[in-house]
């Protein structure tokens, strides 16, 4: 197996929406970029076709820290097919000015190509839907770092739901925080012909503090920062 290196991407978009596909009348959003979305963003920046995206999903490991959840806002629109049809109110959740740190680990060639693509993308990077444009959080928003394997029980990154359920406590550091909550995050796709079906994993996301777990997890250190990767 090739030695892993890391890519850290720090973003602060004006708005972000990562649809949770559970309810057609409420376009709810994850408060963080799911694995499939984040790797899809890289694939688009690199100009990869669907097959290239599939290979990237298999070759990269991903983690995320929600530095600031931003302000959750909702907008509602009435949808109708023709003048005689009933109106269907659709509510969409957005996060205004969130701040994320995205972590990717992979082989040197892939990471270097992704790094260069984010600096000069083939297609415009989005954070979720097409209205959520990628915005750097600072000047050096993308960097390559060394990666090391380690064990850690105190984390700021999104963590597995089953590990949180075994025992944990949330220590708040900032007023603008996000209480730990479990989500079903898409981590991969199963392909059948031209169709595909998402594969989910239970995760716990939070912001504005850190979680102390009852048991240490296998993590990757990205330049010394412990991150659980999926």
């Amino acid at each position: 197996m090739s030695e892993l290196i890391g890519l850290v991407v720090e973003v602060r978009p004006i708005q972000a929406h990562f649809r949770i596909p559970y309810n057609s009348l409420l376009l709810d959003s994850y408060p963080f970029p799911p694995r499939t979305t984040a790797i899809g963003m890289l694939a688009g920046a690199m100009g990869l076709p669907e097959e290239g995206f599939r290979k990237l999903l298999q070759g990269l490991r991903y983690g995320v820290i929600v530095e600031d959840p931003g302000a959750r806002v909702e907008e509602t629109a009435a949808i109708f097919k023709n003048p005689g049809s009933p109106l269907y109110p659709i509510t969409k959740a957005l996060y205004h000015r969130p701040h994320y740190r995205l972590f990717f680990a992979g082989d040197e060639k892939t990471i270097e190509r992704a790094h260069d693509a984010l600096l000069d993308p083939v297609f415009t990077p989005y954070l979720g839907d097409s209205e959520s444009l990628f915005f750097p959080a600072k000047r050096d928003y993308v960097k390559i770092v060394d990666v090391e394997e380690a064990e850690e029980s105190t984390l700021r990154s999104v963590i597995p739901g089953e590990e949180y359920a075994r025992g944990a406590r949330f220590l708040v550091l900032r007023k603008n925080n996000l209480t730990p909550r479990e989500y079903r995050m898409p981590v991969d796709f199963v392909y059948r012909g031209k169709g595909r079906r998402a594969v989910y994993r239970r995760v716990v996301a939070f912001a504005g503090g850190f979680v102390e777990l009852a048991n240490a997890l296998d993590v990757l250190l990205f330049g010394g920062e412990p991150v659980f990767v999926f």
Side-chain angles (χ1 to χ4, degrees), residues 12-28:
R12 192 167 191 181
I14 295 175
Q15 68 175 43
H17 172 77
F18 312 104
R19 186 182 176 187
I20 301 177
Y22 302 154
N23 190 329
S24 61
L25 295 183
L26 172 60
L27 304 184
D28 204 355

Side-chain angles (χ1 to χ4, degrees), residues 11-34 36-38 41 69 71-75 90-98 100 125-134:
V11 295
R12 192 167 191 181
I14 295 175
Q15 68 175 43
H17 172 77
F18 312 104
R19 186 182 176 187
I20 301 177
Y22 302 154
N23 190 329
S24 61
L25 295 183
L26 172 60
L27 304 184
D28 204 355
S29 174
Y30 296 98
F32 61 93
T36 50
T37 299
M41 178 192 71
R72 180 183 167 95
V73 296
E74 295 183 355
E75 58 182 25
I90 303 294
T91 299
K92 180 179 180 179
L94 302 164
Y95 287 92
H96 178 68
R97 298 292 293 175
Y100 309 117
Y126 297 97
L127 278 172
D129 64 8
S130 60
E131 297 177 352
S132 303
L133 291 173
F134 177 103

Side-chain angles (χ1 to χ4, degrees), residues 117-172:
L118 287 175
L119 296 177
D120 185 19
V122 176
F123 299 111
T124 302
Y126 297 97
L127 278 172
D129 64 8
S130 60
E131 297 177 352
S132 303
L133 291 173
F134 177 103
F135 273 86
K138 54 185 181 179
R139 177 174 294 182
D140 56 340
Y141 65 95
V142 54
K143 60 182 179 180
I144 294 175
V145 299
D146 292 330
V147 167
E148 299 179 55
E149 295 182 348
E151 290 187 351
E152 182 60 71
S153 59
T154 302
L155 293 165
R156 296 198 303 126
S157 65
V158 170
I159 54 179
E162 62 271 18
E163 294 297 337
Y164 187 86
R166 290 175 183 170
R169 63 172 181 163
F170 179 50
L171 301 177
V172 178

Side-chain angles (χ1 to χ4, degrees), residues 32-196:
F32 61 93
R35 181 177 188 270
T36 50
T37 299
I39 294 178
M41 178 192 71
L42 289 187
M46 296 163 70
L48 299 179
E50 182 70 21
E51 184 61 33
F53 169 56
R54 293 171 64 174
K55 291 181 179 178
L56 213 57
L57 274 176
Q58 301 306 314
L60 291 181
R61 301 172 73 181
Y62 168 73
V64 55
I65 291 176
V66 182
E67 294 286 359
D68 188 332
R72 180 183 167 95
V73 296
E74 295 183 355
E75 58 182 25
T76 301
I79 307 298
F80 64 94
K81 294 182 179 180
N82 56 64
S85 65
L87 297 179
Y88 295 97
I90 303 294
T91 299
K92 180 179 180 179
L94 302 164
Y95 287 92
H96 178 68
R97 298 292 293 175
H99 184 180
Y100 309 117
R101 291 175 69 202
L102 315 180
F103 301 84
F104 304 90
D107 65 81
E108 183 176 359
K109 181 179 179 181
T110 301
I111 290 297
E112 288 183 347
R113 184 179 175 189
H115 171 274
D116 294 345
L118 287 175
L119 296 177
D120 185 19
V122 176
F123 299 111
T124 302
Y126 297 97
L127 278 172
D129 64 8
S130 60
E131 297 177 352
S132 303
L133 291 173
F134 177 103
F135 273 86
K138 54 185 181 179
R139 177 174 294 182
D140 56 340
Y141 65 95
V142 54
K143 60 182 179 180
I144 294 175
V145 299
D146 292 330
V147 167
E148 299 179 55
E149 295 182 348
E151 290 187 351
E152 182 60 71
S153 59
T154 302
L155 293 165
R156 296 198 303 126
S157 65
V158 170
I159 54 179
E162 62 271 18
E163 294 297 337
Y164 187 86
R166 290 175 183 170
R169 63 172 181 163
F170 179 50
L171 301 177
V172 178
L173 296 178
R174 295 199 314 268
K175 183 177 180 181
N176 185 24
N177 62 75
L178 184 68
T179 303
R181 177 183 167 187
E182 185 174 283
Y183 300 86
R184 290 175 61 232
M185 176 179 73
V187 295
D188 201 353
F189 291 106
V190 174
Y191 289 82
R192 287 188 178 179
K194 296 183 179 180
R196 66 182 187 183

